[in-house]
Amino acid sequence: MQAEEKLTYETWPASPEKSTLEAKNKFLGFWLFLGGETVLFASLFATYLSLKDKVPDSTHHLAKDIFSVPLTLVATMLLLTSSLTSVYAMYHMKNFAFKKMMIWLGITVLLGFGFLGLEIYEFNHYVHEYGHTFTSSAFASAFYTLVGFHGAHVCFGLGWILALMIRNYKRGLNLYNAPKFYVASLYWHFIDVVWVFIFTVVYLMGMVG
Amino acid sequence: MSTYAQKKGFGATVWDYLTTVDHKKIAILYLIAGGLFFLIGGLEAVFIRIQLAVPNNDFVSAGAFNEIITMHGTTMIFLAAMPLLFAFMNAVMPLQIGARDVAFPFVNALGFWLFFFGGIFLNLSWFLGGAPDAGWTSYASLAIHSKGHGVDFYVLGLQISGFGTLMGGINFLVTIINMRAPGMTYMRMPLFTWSTFVASAMILFAFPPLTVGLTLMMFDRLFGANFFEVAMGGNTIIWEHLFWVFGHPEVYILILPAFGIFSEIFSTFSRKRLFGYSSMVFATVLIGFLGFMVWAHHMFTTGLGPVANAIFAVATMAIGVPTGIKIFNWLFTMWGGSVKFTTPMYYAFGFIPSFVCGGVTGVMVATAAADYQYHDTYFVVAHFHYVIVGGVVLALLAGTHYWWPKMFGTMLNETLGKITFWLFFIGFHLTFFIQHFLGLWGMPRRVFTFLPGQGFDAANMVSSVGAAFMSAGVILLLLNIVVTQVKNVKVGNDPWEDGRTLEWAIPSPPPFYNFKQLPLVRGLDALWLEKMEGKKGMTPAEPLGDIHMPNASFIPFMISLGLFIAAFGAMYHVNDKPWAIPVLILGLAVTFGSMLVRSLKDDHGFHIHKEELQDEKGAEA
């Protein structure tokens, strides 16, 4: 199949994300890239775990003092839901239902912005309530780097999905942009998986001390 | 008429190379840039040997010496060895699997430009206040206290070029998995392609820890973080782990493709199928796997404890097994073969004893208890130069001679090539063999001078004389290249006459679409198989049809340039320069803006039509 072909609901392939050679390459290349990203976050987690609660003196707050369940639980729910909505978007993409895909992607983006807003509020809260700043201790540096790297990924993912939505708003689906939507959603799932680990390792394990 | 055969002006050629997405042209870019950095790193090596030729020398100051050894190591590993291997991977691997192109031509170009701008940024440090001086390993306990911007150049330069390497690795992996010609199964792939495959997989998993390590170092030095500030709760050992989790796989990323190059050469010039092909593949994969389990052998004296040291020592020695399998397979390939002594074969011959020496001292330093003696002495310097120069550099020189005709369509002079080999080979052993003894006699690494009468004088002089021989060899190689290109005698498809793999089935240099019709691969050593059955070339696997090709693009250059600009902003912001943050933002805007343009603008490539291909002469499948 060629990327430029005009397709209808009947001729739309079952797996549009890998029906041309370019798409197959993109699909596999992106999975491999996510493999590399996994090692990147693994390194950041290792750094965080070895520097957790490592502060210059006893006046500094520790993990158990600053983290709170309600805030991060809401953030987790927003991000997990956004992963689900991006699955719906891809379901409609595979069924050549462009409008529905755009609606679900739109909801995904809104949830993503909600998460990002909460994260900004959270960081701001730590800085002003607890004096827990990027430069205040090794623990703080490791915390903001790990969670901030994830936040930057969310930010990039939002920009990416928005750019795809705006670019293809008028022309609908074809085999050239379907793989693009698909890998963007893969990226979004990956961000979500990383967050599950952050929620567990940083927040839940942090609160038990 | 196709446009590629027409003569171009100088400006058009430069623009062509700035925007190219053709893997063969990118290979030439890698070869030129990597070669340039190899000369710079070599010059630094010569300065080191001049300084150490006699005791109490003051050719360079102690501070400058630190900068020179740091830049020598960093340049040679990241900016010379890696890109030169990438040059051959780009030039040859797609041809060996019978592909018209790589999987991501655009990303391939981006990888090159990122490496290039990273390398230029790092080397600009010489002119902008001093080079990095904390060693190529840049241990945090030294690096965060290094004055000036040297270490910042290291951190930012390597970060940029590291992104490039990572992208190159993903590109090669997908190319090999998805784009093999009909019949080219995994177990019919030439060994160089196999080693490219395994090395790329290692790049994918080894470079992210370096990215993280460099990021932490950047945050500490430029943005006030405390990862390595012990007083603030930091821990400098984290850097050592992250660096070596990357750094040890890195040496296998270098040596595996070198093994691949020699495997091709042994088989070609013994005119015999590679002995134990499947065990070679198995050994390559096993080395790739074990390469990730041994990083702490660089940290035996850090104090990880006897259990950790013992485990890492045993794991390290285990790598000797697959490596031994390879050595014997090469020997058995020659055994009973009809050996032809060409320049590449000289290097292959020289490689075996040299690399075995490096392997033996490798097992010695892997013995944790004994390593307390060897650690930080010239013994270690001798060991890693025996594996890197005796393995990787000999392979690069061999590969240059072996694939030069395929890349440029001309044959390097064999007589000059053999003289180059002898100069370099003798010089190499003269320089480094004696350093084993210097180390055992107690001469420490990284010292800028030594006192007379300690028994080091004569040995150091011998070592420096060896460096002169190596330099002469390299200069002769350059001369050979110039002479060959000026004479410009064109060669045919298979100039060595014994080519076994698919790259020798097409013209030298190949047309930009590589294969007019994709070849049908019927077994290992695909071309040799056809030749043995009396055929001239490969049987096509498809009828002549339109060929889809990617468009050239200037965007890779712009994305890389943006990061290059941003790095200056990040670096000078600690000096409270008012322009620093705007420059940082501008650079990032250029990068992300270029990425956005790439994302928004459709790029469908173009088709070469069947009729044009029929006009093309001499481009049979």
Side-chain angles (χ1 to χ4, degrees), chain B residues 333-548:
Chain B
T333 302
M334 289 188 284
W335 188 271
S338 163
V339 178
K340 198 154 105 183
F341 285 94
T342 58
T343 307
M345 197 59 171
Y346 271 49
Y347 282 106
F349 262 86
F351 153 77
I352 287 192
S354 311
F355 192 80
V356 168
C357 283
V360 168
T361 53
V363 176
M364 289 170 75
V365 290
T367 314
D371 184 64
Y372 275 75
Q373 274 302 310
Y374 308 131
H375 187 79
D376 252 343
T377 71
Y378 260 84
F379 189 82
V380 176
V381 177
H383 158 69
F384 68 69
H385 280 94
Y386 260 79
V387 285
I388 299 289
V389 183
V392 182
V393 177
L394 289 186
L396 291 172
L397 294 172
T400 306
H401 286 272
Y402 182 58
W403 281 311
W404 190 271
K406 192 45 66 186
M407 289 176 80
F408 296 97
T410 55
M411 195 92 166
L412 288 173
N413 183 300
E414 278 287 284
T415 314
L416 288 179
K418 284 169 187 168
I419 301 172
T420 304
F421 165 77
W422 282 117
L423 283 172
F424 195 86
F425 188 71
I426 293 170
F428 159 63
H429 283 282
L430 211 53
T431 308
F432 295 109
F433 191 74
I434 197 78
Q435 290 186 0
H436 292 111
F437 295 95
L438 272 174
L440 295 176
W441 296 333
M443 180 159 163
R445 282 171 81 171
R446 302 190 179 106
V447 289
F448 87 105
T449 192
F450 54 93
L451 296 173
Q454 291 182 314
F456 300 154
D457 305 20
N460 270 302
M461 184 45 101
V462 169
S463 184
S464 295
V465 170
F469 274 84
M470 289 167 88
S471 312
V474 172
I475 291 167
L476 197 62
L477 174 64
L478 292 177
L479 193 74
N480 194 353
I481 289 171
V482 172
V483 170
T484 302
Q485 292 310 103
V486 169
K487 277 192 188 159
N488 204 16
V489 183
K490 292 292 176 196
V491 295
N493 291 8
D494 185 11
W496 296 107
E497 291 163 10
D498 301 308
R500 310 177 72 83
T501 41
L502 284 177
E503 75 265 34
W504 307 111
I506 52 173
S508 318
F512 67 104
Y513 47 82
N514 296 352
F515 296 89
K516 198 191 254 182
Q517 289 162 288
L518 291 182
L520 179 69
V521 176
R522 299 194 296 135
L524 181 64
D525 294 335
L527 178 63
W528 186 258
L529 206 69
E530 305 296 334
K531 283 201 266 188
M532 286 301 103
E533 293 185 4
K535 292 183 194 147
K536 278 257 164 77
M538 302 300 297
T539 312
E542 58 176 14
L544 194 62
D546 291 359
I547 296 177
H548 182 239

Side-chain angles (χ1 to χ4, degrees), chain A residues 2-4 21-22 24-26 28-30 32-33 35-37 39-41 43-44 47 50-51 54-56 60 134-139 141-142 145 149 156 159-160 163-164 167 171 174 176 180, chain B residues 102-104 166 170 173-175 177-179 204-206 208-209 211-212 215-216 219-220 223-227 229 231-235 238 242 548 592 595-596 598-605 607:
Chain A
Q2 297 288 327
E4 294 95 330
L21 179 62
E22 286 78 17
K24 272 193 201 103
N25 288 344
K26 195 170 278 188
L28 178 64
F30 203 79
L32 293 173
F33 170 73
E37 286 260 90
V39 182
L40 183 108
F41 275 102
S43 306
L44 287 170
T47 306
S50 59
L51 292 178
K54 294 290 189 307
V55 290
H60 282 76
F134 186 63
T135 56
S136 66
S137 66
F139 165 49
S141 298
T145 302
F149 246 77
F156 185 83
W160 184 6
L164 281 178
R167 172 65 182 96
R171 64 172 174 176
N174 56 42
Y176 183 72
K180 292 189 172 206
Chain B
V102 291
F104 305 113
L166 185 66
I170 292 175
L173 279 173
V174 179
T175 304
I177 295 173
N178 275 356
M179 310 209 22
L204 178 62
F205 296 117
T211 305
V212 170
T215 305
L216 305 186
F219 282 169
D220 260 23
F223 298 98
N226 299 301
F227 293 102
E229 291 286 354
M232 300 295 277
N235 185 344
I238 292 172
L242 289 174
H548 182 239
F592 285 106
M595 285 167 70
L596 191 64
R598 171 67 183 171
S599 177
L600 298 186
K601 232 179 98 195
D602 284 6
D603 183 4
H604 290 296
H607 284 91

Side-chain angles (χ1 to χ4, degrees), chain A residues 45-140:
Chain A
F45 273 108
T47 306
Y48 173 79
L49 283 176
S50 59
L51 292 178
K52 183 182 167 233
D53 290 343
K54 294 290 189 307
V55 290
D57 56 61
S58 56
T59 62
H60 282 76
H61 294 281
L62 302 179
K64 62 177 170 20
D65 307 323
I66 55 177
F67 299 148
S68 74
V69 174
L71 184 67
T72 47
L73 193 64
V74 174
T76 307
M77 285 306 148
L78 286 180
L79 204 61
L80 287 181
T81 313
S82 80
S83 214
L84 180 69
T85 56
S86 80
V87 172
Y88 286 149
M90 286 311 105
Y91 170 79
H92 291 302
M93 187 273 280
K94 290 194 175 191
N95 285 319
F96 205 58
F98 180 68
K99 280 234 171 74
K100 286 181 183 164
M101 180 193 81
M102 290 291 270
I103 291 170
W104 284 111
L105 279 182
I107 296 173
T108 305
V109 168
L110 286 179
L111 290 167
F113 273 115
F115 171 85
L116 207 59
L118 276 186
E119 186 153 88
I120 292 167
Y121 168 79
E122 181 202 357
F123 282 8
N124 192 43
H125 178 70
Y126 294 156
V127 168
H128 291 108
E129 259 342 84
Y130 302 104
H132 185 68
T133 70
F134 186 63
T135 56
S136 66
S137 66
F139 165 49

